[in-house]
Amino acid sequence: MNARGPAYGWRQPLDMEWDGNMKPAIKAKKLRPADFKAIFAFFETAEVDYPALRSMISRRFEGNNILLTLCNAFVDNMESIEAGNGAVMSMQPMIAKSVLSLIITVGRIRAAKIFLEAGVERWDKERFREVHAMLMLLGEEIERLDAIDRPWLDYQVYDRGHKTTMILFCGLADRFGVEMNAVIPWLRSLPVNLVYIRDFNRLLYLAGIQSLGNLEETISALKRDLAAIGTERTITMGNSGGVYGCLYYADLLKADGVLCFAGPTSLKAGVDEASERPVYERVQELVDKGELVEPDLRQLFLGNGIPVRYFFGQDYQFDLTQSETFQDLPNVSIEGLQNWERHIVIGEMARRNQLTTVLADAADVTLKGLNRAGTLVS
């Protein structure tokens, strides 16, 4: 399997702050992309040099007690779990959530499940609700994740030797409702190539992908790379803010299907229903100035016939409003989750035993050869 993520093409998000040594600013309260990259490097191989990792963390986050505490708790847990001693839960719950996220980010899924079980036992399942569903309902044990997501990159291509390619569009938080590496296990057994993209421009993908160029250059690069890996079927798949991009790019790429996990379908609905989310107003201002072009997604899908499945919480008003853009279109299936009033739906779909079927259908695979978590069965 070939993985291509152009590290040379990654660009720094606009809201980053750095000191002269390329370390995060002392006041930072969360890890930045370059921090993830520095930590991730120690987990590229099975054997981790933990003393060297601790030394790097000590130097990198000197003077930042929040990030020092987080990263030291992460290393404590990874060492303990790998030694067979279980998770170390001597921390506040918010730190625990960040430690879990970091374990998932470096692709250690078995360790993440062990930590998660300990966290649920100490606190409660609700605190880890979405990621609990995505990891604990897996039907297989994964030590180290292949086709791993590297969150400091905005474009990654995994050629897995198949004719169908799934393109995953992250939301504005650069996640897929949960960490991307918590979603990938649900896809790894499907006969699909994988592409992960992020919008570091924070413009709902209308300005293209930073490392690829403007919108026209981005679509050209995607078409080139899809052809290079032998793609015959393309499926776009978006979560939250990534829904807008996965819909628009599906039309531009002449995709074969679209999966939308609750997100925007028009700027108007975004501005009207979520004025507290400044991205919509920012994009609308750029459209009004003529710097961006807003696609009429309803008209595009009325004409292109591309099949779309739009999933959302039936009781979450923002996404209910967004779903109305595609009302009565024959090629769009609007599928509300009853008795669900949250924005993120992918974990709930896993809990309701719907996610495997949805992903397998998109990959054009019958469930006859799959178990409930999506693992191919001989």
Side-chain angles (χ1 to χ4, degrees):
M1 175 177 63
N2 286 323
R4 184 161 49 76
Y8 57 82
W10 175 76
R11 298 183 188 176
Q12 176 178 310
L14 300 177
D15 59 352
M16 281 192 160
E17 298 178 53
W18 304 92
D19 67 16
N21 298 314
M22 293 299 287
K23 294 193 296 186
I26 293 298
K27 65 181 180 181
K29 295 183 179 180
K30 62 181 181 180
L31 296 173
R32 310 297 177 90
D35 301 327
F36 285 121
K37 184 177 181 180
I39 294 169
F40 191 97
F42 287 84
F43 292 86
E44 294 280 11
T45 59
E47 297 295 325
V48 179
D49 186 344
Y50 284 110
L53 175 57
R54 287 186 184 279
S55 178
M56 183 277 289
I57 287 171
S58 179
R59 294 192 309 272
R60 188 176 191 89
F61 302 114
E62 181 181 0
N64 188 323
N65 290 333
I66 293 175
L67 296 186
L68 270 176
T69 299
L70 162 61
C71 291
N72 284 329
F74 160 72
V75 177
D76 289 343
N77 273 275
M78 287 303 305
E79 278 196 297
S80 180
I81 291 170
E82 289 191 358
N85 298 323
V88 181
M89 284 288 122
S90 55
M91 66 190 79
Q92 296 297 316
M94 288 307 297
I95 292 291
K97 291 185 70 173
S98 297
V99 169
L100 175 61
S101 178
L102 194 46
I103 295 173
I104 296 170
T105 296
V106 298
R108 296 304 206 262
I109 304 303
R110 184 187 68 86
K113 292 174 70 172
I114 291 172
F115 184 89
L116 183 55
E117 287 176 335
V120 169
E121 182 177 348
R122 175 166 180 183
W123 293 294
D124 57 76
K125 187 185 299 185
E126 187 66 23
R127 191 175 298 276
F128 307 96
R129 185 178 180 88
E130 302 305 321
V131 72
H132 186 274
M134 298 303 292
L135 293 186
M136 304 312 289
L137 294 178
L138 286 171
E140 60 178 328
E141 286 299 321
I142 303 170
E143 183 70 34
R144 297 176 62 218
L145 188 64
D146 55 5
I148 192 168
D149 170 54
R150 292 164 170 80
W152 61 91
L153 295 176
D154 64 358
Y155 184 59
Q156 300 165 79
V157 177
Y158 280 93
D159 179 3
R160 304 171 73 220
H162 299 296
K163 299 301 183 183
T164 296
T165 298
M166 280 189 171
I167 307 176
L168 279 66
F169 290 71
C170 290
L172 291 169
D174 297 328
R175 295 156 45 96
F176 210 88
V178 293
E179 292 79 6
M180 281 282 284
N181 287 335
V183 176
I184 294 166
W186 291 78
L187 303 170
R188 68 192 298 266
S189 63
L190 297 177
V192 295
N193 307 312
L194 296 169
V195 178
Y196 315 142
I197 63 177
R198 293 178 166 87
D199 181 13
F200 288 163
N201 293 314
R202 306 291 187 250
L203 294 173
L204 298 177
Y205 293 90
L206 288 177
I209 307 304
Q210 277 194 2
S211 67
L212 300 182
N214 61 27
L215 181 60
E216 182 179 352
E217 292 166 335
T218 292
I219 297 302
S220 177
L222 279 166
K223 288 180 177 179
R224 177 199 66 214
D225 290 346
L226 290 172
I229 62 177
T231 301
E232 296 179 2
R233 292 181 68 250
T234 301
I235 306 298
T236 64
M237 177 172 152
N239 175 82
S240 189
V243 164
Y244 201 87
C246 87
L247 285 165
Y248 189 27
Y249 284 36
D251 179 76
L252 296 172
L253 295 170
K254 296 180 172 56
D256 298 276
V258 184
L259 295 180
C260 301
F261 295 94
T265 59
S266 77
L267 295 183
K268 183 179 185 304
V271 172
D272 289 349
E273 298 293 331
S275 59
E276 73 280 5
R277 306 180 192 192
V279 64
Y280 293 99
E281 293 181 344
R282 180 185 175 207
V283 172
Q284 186 64 64
E285 288 175 2
L286 294 175
V287 169
D288 293 341
K289 292 177 180 178
E291 297 179 26
L292 292 177
V293 176
E294 177 188 7
D296 185 334
L297 293 177
R298 179 178 174 84
Q299 284 301 117
L300 290 179
F301 281 85
L302 182 62
N304 63 30
I306 298 173
V308 177
R309 299 182 72 178
Y310 185 97
F311 303 97
F312 70 102
Q314 187 70 50
D315 299 326
Y316 190 74
Q317 184 59 50
F318 175 70
D319 292 325
L320 176 62
T321 301
Q322 295 283 6
S323 73
E324 293 170 355
T325 299
F326 290 136
Q327 191 170 8
D328 300 325
L329 290 189
N331 52 316
V332 178
S333 175
I334 298 174
E335 305 179 42
L337 276 66
Q338 299 296 321
N339 302 314
W340 189 246
E341 57 182 17
R342 301 188 185 193
H343 177 53
I344 302 302
V345 296
I346 194 166
E348 183 63 15
M349 290 175 67
R351 271 188 295 274
R352 297 187 186 193
N353 200 23
Q354 297 175 345
L355 187 58
T356 297
T357 307
V358 167
L359 297 175
D361 285 348
D364 201 23
V365 176
T366 65
L367 287 179
K368 183 177 180 181
L370 295 170
N371 68 17
R372 72 182 298 271
T375 307
L376 287 171
V377 179
S378 59

